[in-house]
Amino acid sequence: AHDHSDRHLHREPIQPLPMEPMVSDPPPPVSVPPNESQQGLRSWWSRLAEWNPSLLTVVTLAIATGLRMALTPLWGSGYTFITYYPAIMFIAVANGWRHGIVATLASAALSIGLFLDLQTSPSEQPMALALFITANVIIVSLSEAVTRARLRAQAETSLAKAQEQRLREEIEARIKAEETLRASERQMQFVTNHAPVLIAQCGADGRYRFVNRQYAELVGQTPEALIGLHPRDVLGEEVYRQVAPFMREVLAGRQVKFDQQFLGAASTGRLLQVTYAPERDERGIVTGFIAAIVDITDRKQAEQARATLAAIVESSEDAIVSKDLNGIITSWNRGAERLYGYSRQEAVGKSVLLVIPEERLEEETPILAQIKRGEAIQQYETVRRRKDGTLIDIALTVSAIRNDEGRIV
C-alpha cells in the first residue's frame, strides 16, 4: 500500500521543520484548514492526488509513455527518456518523493521494455539508463526540497496570519474592555458626584484612588488632583493624627464609624460623620478601604438649637403646652405642671379638653381653626380647670408650630 503522508504534505501546510535526508520519511503534517481562496485555486490534478495518488502516477506515466511512442517514428530509440523527465518531476511535486522514486523505476522498466535496444548498444544503453535513474533521483530530491520549502513558507504565512488575527482580536477586545471600563468609571463618577455623601477610595498604602466631587470640594481640590496623594498631605497633620488610628483599624479588616471635626482651610468648623469600610479582593485580603462621609454640621446645629429651646421651655415659669391639630397634648413643661396640677406623664397624649371647663369647650374648635390657617392668638383671656377641679383665670397666647417643610403640625 502506498503511504499517503506525502500527498497530505503537499495538500496541507505544515509547521516549519528542518531539512531531512531523502532516506527518511517526512514528518507528519500539521493540519490547517485551507481558506476559501486556497480551495478555489486547487487544480484537477491536486484533487486527483488527494483522492488517489497512485492513479495520478499511473495516468501521468501512461501519458508520457503514449507521447514517447507517438514520437518513435521520428526519433527511433533516440531521446528515450525525454517525456519521462517532466512526468516524474510532476509526480514528485504532486504525490511526494515516494511516488517519484516509484515513477522513476517504472519509467526505467517501461523504457527497457519498449524503447531501449540493449543488443545494438550493449554498453551505451545501460549507462544511459543509469544516468536517467540518477538524474531523476536528483530531480525527485530537488522537487522534495522545493515542496518542503514551499510548505514551510505556507505554514509560516498561515501562522503569521493566525498570530496577526489573534493579536488583532486581542487588541479589539482590550479596546472594548477599556471603553467599558471608562464608561463604568464615568457612570460611577456621575452617580457619586450627585450623591449626598462624600466618597473616597484609598489603597492599602492609604493613597487616594478615587474621590467624588463633594469630597474634593471639601478639601479645596479637584478630584483629579487628589488621585495618588496621601491623606496626610491633604487633611493636614492635626486631622490626620486624629483619623490615623481609624485608618489602621479599617486596614486590619474592621469597619469603623466616628465623628470628626474638620479643620481644613476650605471648610473650617464642619462636623463630619465618617464611616470606613474595608475593601477586599477575591481571596479576602484587604486591598484598601472606602470612606463614606456625611456632613452633619447643620443637623447637629439644629439638634443643639432644639435642645436649647427645650431647655428654655422646660425652665420657664409660664405654662407652655404644645398640641397637634387634633388637640392632643404633645409636650407639657414644669410651669404647666405647677399651674394645672397634672404631671407630664398624666397630660401628654391626652386631649387638651382635659383642662377646659365644660362650659368653655366651644372655644377650642375656633382656636384650632385659626391655627390651621396659620393665624396667631395673642393674650386671649379665658378660664381653665385644674386637676383638683378649681377654675383659674389665664391669659392664653397660641402660635402655630411648623416642621422643616413649613407645614403646620
Side-chain angles (χ1 to χ4, degrees):
H2 292 288
D3 188 344
H4 291 184
S5 61
D6 292 291
R7 174 173 55 85
H8 294 166
L9 181 67
H10 167 75
R11 181 173 57 87
E12 298 176 357
I14 61 171
Q15 299 292 336
L17 296 170
M19 291 293 291
E20 297 180 1
M22 287 304 300
V23 294
S24 63
D25 290 339
V30 177
S31 298
V32 178
N35 57 32
E36 295 180 359
S37 61
Q38 291 174 330
Q39 290 282 2
L41 294 176
R42 292 172 61 188
S43 59
W44 64 269
W45 57 264
S46 177
R47 291 191 291 272
L48 182 58
E50 179 182 352
W51 175 63
N52 194 329
S54 299
L55 178 60
L56 179 62
T57 300
V58 171
V59 170
T60 303
L61 289 179
I63 293 173
T65 302
L67 183 61
R68 179 64 184 82
M69 293 179 68
L71 296 174
T72 298
L74 298 176
W75 294 339
S77 61
Y79 306 105
T80 303
F81 312 107
I82 191 169
T83 59
Y84 288 117
Y85 283 112
I88 293 171
M89 182 181 296
F90 171 76
I91 292 170
V93 171
N95 294 339
W97 65 271
R98 286 188 180 87
H99 289 274
I101 295 299
V102 171
T104 298
L105 298 177
S107 299
L110 290 171
S111 297
I112 292 173
L114 298 177
F115 306 117
L116 292 180
D117 188 1
L118 298 179
Q119 294 180 354
T120 58
S121 303
S123 60
E124 294 180 359
Q125 297 292 352
M127 183 176 297
L129 184 62
L131 290 174
F132 169 74
I133 295 174
T134 302
N136 277 291
V137 169
I138 295 174
I139 290 172
V140 169
S141 300
L142 291 176
S143 299
E144 178 69 13
V146 170
T147 300
R148 283 174 173 266
R150 177 174 55 82
L151 294 180
R152 284 193 185 91
Q154 291 177 351
E156 291 173 356
T157 301
S158 300
L159 181 61
K161 289 181 178 179
Q163 292 175 341
E164 181 182 0
Q165 180 64 25
R166 284 195 299 269
L167 180 59
R168 185 181 297 110
E169 292 174 354
E170 290 175 0
I171 292 175
E172 292 176 353
R174 186 174 301 174
I175 291 175
K176 291 181 179 178
E178 291 176 352
E179 291 176 350
T180 302
L181 178 60
R182 284 193 295 268
S184 177
E185 290 176 347
R186 287 194 299 268
Q187 183 178 15
M188 183 176 69
Q189 187 76 56
F190 176 82
V191 172
T192 57
N193 283 345
H194 292 80
V197 181
L198 288 72
I199 300 174
Q201 180 189 40
C202 297
D205 57 357
R207 297 185 178 276
Y208 293 111
R209 293 179 179 174
F210 170 84
V211 297
N212 68 345
R213 185 180 58 200
Q214 292 90 322
Y215 187 96
E217 290 175 352
L218 177 74
V219 297
Q221 296 284 348
T222 62
E224 295 78 11
L226 290 177
I227 304 304
L229 296 182
H230 196 278
R232 181 191 299 107
D233 304 323
V234 177
L235 303 178
E237 289 293 339
E238 179 61 23
V239 174
Y240 179 73
R241 182 183 61 80
Q242 297 174 15
V243 303
F246 300 108
M247 293 178 62
R248 288 192 294 269
E249 189 172 353
V250 72
L251 289 174
R254 294 181 293 274
Q255 181 171 315
V256 293
K257 187 174 183 179
F258 60 94
D259 291 347
Q260 175 66 43
Q261 187 75 29
F262 188 75
L263 304 177
S267 300
T268 303
R270 306 304 294 179
L271 183 61
L272 309 176
Q273 187 178 78
V274 184
T275 301
Y276 288 163
E279 192 174 15
R280 304 175 188 271
D281 61 14
E282 63 277 2
R283 297 171 297 173
I285 298 175
V286 177
T287 58
F289 65 92
I290 301 293
I293 304 169
V294 178
D295 189 340
I296 59 174
T297 305
D298 296 337
R299 189 184 76 191
K300 286 294 185 180
Q301 289 176 350
E303 290 176 356
Q304 184 63 39
R306 284 194 294 269
T308 301
L309 179 59
I312 293 173
V313 170
E314 187 64 24
S315 61
S316 174
E317 294 295 329
D318 294 330
I320 301 177
V321 178
S322 63
K323 58 186 177 181
D324 62 19
L325 295 178
N326 295 317
I328 303 301
I329 298 172
T330 57
S331 69
W332 188 268
N333 74 337
R334 282 200 297 264
E337 289 181 342
R338 288 191 297 268
L339 180 63
Y340 295 112
Y342 292 99
S343 67
R344 177 183 290 107
Q345 291 76 13
E346 292 174 318
V348 172
K350 303 291 194 332
S351 172
V352 73
L353 300 179
L354 179 70
V355 295
I356 300 177
E358 292 184 3
E359 63 272 13
R360 299 271 184 169
L361 292 178
E362 71 278 359
E363 294 179 358
E364 183 63 14
T365 300
I367 290 176
L368 289 176
Q370 284 187 258
I371 295 302
K372 290 180 180 179
R373 294 194 299 267
E375 300 173 2
I377 300 174
Q378 300 291 338
Q379 295 297 318
Y380 175 72
E381 293 183 0
T382 185
V383 177
R384 290 296 182 258
R385 182 179 59 208
R386 288 172 50 83
K387 181 179 181 181
D388 58 9
T390 60
L391 300 177
I392 55 175
D393 295 322
I394 65 167
L396 185 67
T397 298
V398 184
S399 300
I401 300 175
R402 300 177 183 273
N403 61 11
D404 295 338
E405 299 175 355
R407 184 164 55 87
I408 297 173
V409 295

